[in-house]
């Protein structure tokens, strides 16, 4: 049995660092594990211009512990009136690494999202031309579509048309949760990839209702049936360069989660790599963790690989029930249960 594993430092290709006091509280966790991270732009108001992204990047840098080598990679929140020239200029200036498509009202702070992809076709055409990746929250928002079917329906109604119209656009299907998404991503060319979260590899939808309602297992897209979790595990551990690490760590204060209308989001940043390592270990695929965590993402984005290393050791520890950081109380993923890996 392998008891330690050393890999290139991983990157997180999808994370919510928030702003203000929450940013101060959560940024050190991500910066401790990862070399770089794709920073989600769903602040309120959203990050829609290169100037606001540059200012947000400065606030992130200021929230990092002294001496941190962490690099935030910024994204542009697309709206119906997104401007192709602005976005291309922000990309050329090295401010925007990618742009994010939130269907309007699909998830947290997505009210300003895109109401119809047709509205942003000129932007997407330009992104295809300049090789700028489009990151997609892939769920339809129609209330007549069952919440467990919203990703699968999005593939049929939006993704297939999008890739058909823009066959060379670099697309990351973010936080995939279904076997349909795996099948779709596998069927596309190398310009279409996906991130997979630790929580969708660990839990199925039963976790939300285990002995009562469990708000800390609620995120969007919601966890699905067990067959979907197994399909995600297979994809993540397959060695395919199309799948890479994206935690979707999405902190909300404990009172916003434990509420009559609790927020969607799982805060997994503090033990993210340990959580992925447990999955790869259970699947007998520890030798593929480095590709998923540290190589496939930078290769897809056309960035260099991190040169420094991290070592994980097999060692069991119980994850705390909550973390009091700065003024916030946050419940981490795996709270109260054991994880069998730790970072040395
Ligand atoms: C995210 C958030 O809270 O910002 N929530 C979530 O459940 N994943 C938004 C998102 O990634 O869709
Ligand atoms: Zn999302
Ligand atoms: Zn997210």
């Amino acid at each position: 049995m392998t008891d330690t594993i050393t890999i290139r430092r991983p990157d997180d290709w999808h994370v919510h660092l928030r702003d203000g006091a929450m940013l101060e509280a959560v940024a050190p966790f991500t910066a401790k594990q990862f070399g770089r991270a794709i920073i989600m732009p769903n602040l309120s108001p959203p990050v829609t211009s290169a100037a606001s992204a540059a200012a947000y990047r400065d606030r992130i840098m200021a929230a990092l512990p002294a001496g941190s080598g962490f690099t935030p990679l910024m994204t542009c929140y697309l709206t119906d009136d997104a401007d192709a020239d602005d976005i291309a200029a922000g990309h050329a200036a090295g401010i925007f690494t990618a742009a994010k498509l939130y269907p309007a009202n699909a998830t947290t702070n997505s009210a300003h999202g895109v109401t119809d992809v047709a509205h942003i076709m000129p932007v997407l055409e330009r992104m295809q031309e300049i090789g700028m990746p489009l990151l997609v929250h892939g769920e339809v928002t129609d209330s007549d579509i069952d919440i467990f079917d919203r990703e699968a329906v999005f593939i049929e109604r939006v993704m297939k048309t999008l890739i058909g119209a823009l066959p060379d656009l670099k697309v990351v299907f973010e936080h995939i949760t279904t076997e349909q998404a795996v099948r779709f991503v596998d069927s596309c060319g190398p310009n279409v990839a996906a991130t997979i979260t630790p929580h969708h590899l660990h839990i199925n939808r039963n976790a939300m209702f285990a002995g009562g309602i469990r708000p800390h297992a609620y995120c969007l897209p919601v966890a699905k049936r067990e067959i979907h979790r197994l399909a995600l595990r297979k994809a993540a551990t397959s060695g395919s360069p199309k799948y890479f690490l994206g935690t979707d760590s999405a902190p909300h204060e404990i009172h916003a989660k434990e509420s009559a209308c609790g927020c969607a989001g799982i805060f997994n940043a503090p033990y993210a790599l340990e959580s992925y390592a447990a999955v790869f270990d259970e699947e007998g695929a520890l030798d593929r963790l480095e590709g998923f965590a540290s190589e496939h993402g930078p290769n897809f984005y056309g960035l260099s690989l991190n040169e420094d290393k991290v070592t994980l050791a097999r060692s069991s520890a119980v994850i705390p029930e909550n973390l009091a950081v700065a003024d916030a109380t946050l419940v981490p993923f795996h709270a109260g249960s054991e994880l069998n890996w730790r970072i040395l």
Side-chain angles (χ1 to χ4, degrees):
M1 208 186 329
T2 317
D3 286 321
T4 65
I5 170 174
T6 298
I7 61 171
R8 280 180 195 276
R9 181 169 298 284
D11 303 300
D12 184 352
W13 299 96
H14 181 135
V15 70
H16 301 269
L17 291 186
R18 313 301 193 205
D19 210 346
M22 185 67 96
L23 168 62
E24 307 271 334
V26 302
F29 292 110
T30 292
K32 190 171 173 206
Q33 298 210 337
F34 299 105
R36 295 163 288 196
I38 285 278
I39 311 299
M40 287 297 130
N42 63 332
L43 303 182
S44 173
V47 179
T48 54
S49 69
S52 63
Y56 183 31
R57 184 169 64 185
D58 291 346
R59 297 196 297 281
I60 294 169
M61 295 306 289
L64 299 178
S68 169
F70 176 76
T71 305
L73 303 173
M74 310 309 290
T75 58
C76 176
Y77 180 119
L78 296 174
T79 61
D80 279 349
D81 45 36
D83 183 83
D85 290 337
D86 281 358
I87 290 168
H91 184 62
I95 297 168
F96 287 139
T97 297
K100 179 73 193 256
L101 166 59
Y102 289 104
N105 304 313
T107 186
T108 307
N109 290 339
S110 60
H112 301 277
V114 172
T115 59
D116 185 337
V117 172
H119 294 140
I120 57 162
M121 275 316 273
V123 173
L124 301 182
E125 278 160 13
R126 180 73 74 84
M127 288 172 62
Q128 173 173 257
E129 226 172 274
I130 64 179
M132 181 176 181
L134 175 72
L135 317 183
V136 182
H137 179 110
E139 287 191 287
V140 296
T141 56
D142 315 53
S143 56
D144 62 323
I145 302 294
D146 189 282
I147 191 163
F148 294 101
D149 296 333
R150 287 181 190 174
E151 182 174 284
V153 172
F154 186 88
I155 294 168
E156 297 305 318
R157 291 192 186 168
V158 184
M159 276 297 208
K160 289 187 175 172
T161 327
L162 182 69
I163 306 296
L166 300 161
D168 296 323
L169 181 63
K170 276 187 166 184
V171 176
V172 184
F173 198 160
E174 298 287 346
H175 49 43
I176 59 169
T177 64
T178 58
E179 63 173 2
Q180 289 93 331
V182 171
R183 236 183 285 134
F184 173 74
V185 170
D186 282 341
S187 76
C188 295
N191 57 311
V192 178
T195 53
I196 305 180
T197 75
H199 40 282
H200 291 111
L201 294 169
H202 277 279
I203 65 172
N204 64 32
R205 63 190 194 172
N206 288 341
M208 286 184 288
F209 309 105
I213 193 142
R214 301 284 185 171
H216 301 291
Y218 172 58
C219 64
L220 287 170
V222 283
K224 309 294 193 297
R225 286 179 182 274
E226 180 65 359
I227 50 161
H228 299 290
R229 186 182 75 101
L230 297 178
L232 298 174
R233 282 191 160 223
K234 203 169 161 205
T237 60
S238 67
S240 164
K242 287 172 160 290
Y243 300 101
F244 41 86
L245 187 160
T247 63
D248 194 19
S249 181
H252 294 274
E253 287 214 47
I254 191 165
H255 59 79
K257 294 287 295 172
E258 298 178 6
S259 150
C261 185
C263 293
I266 292 178
F267 177 53
N268 59 30
Y271 308 98
L273 191 56
E274 297 90 328
S275 181
Y276 282 113
V279 170
F280 278 71
D281 187 16
E282 286 158 16
E283 296 293 327
L286 277 175
D287 57 325
R288 293 182 171 166
L289 178 63
E290 183 172 40
F292 176 82
S294 318
E295 295 173 351
H296 303 167
N299 288 343
F300 181 87
Y301 276 85
L303 297 170
S304 58
L305 305 183
N306 293 324
E307 286 304 332
D308 62 324
K309 310 263 176 179
V310 294
T311 298
L312 290 135
R314 189 186 298 281
S315 153
S316 132
V318 176
I319 303 306
E321 290 291 347
N322 58 59
L323 298 169
V325 273
D327 285 340
T329 301
L330 298 168
V331 176
F333 184 45
H334 298 295
S337 38
E338 259 181 48
L339 268 181
N340 290 328
W341 287 86
R342 74 189 161 92
I343 297 179
L344 289 185

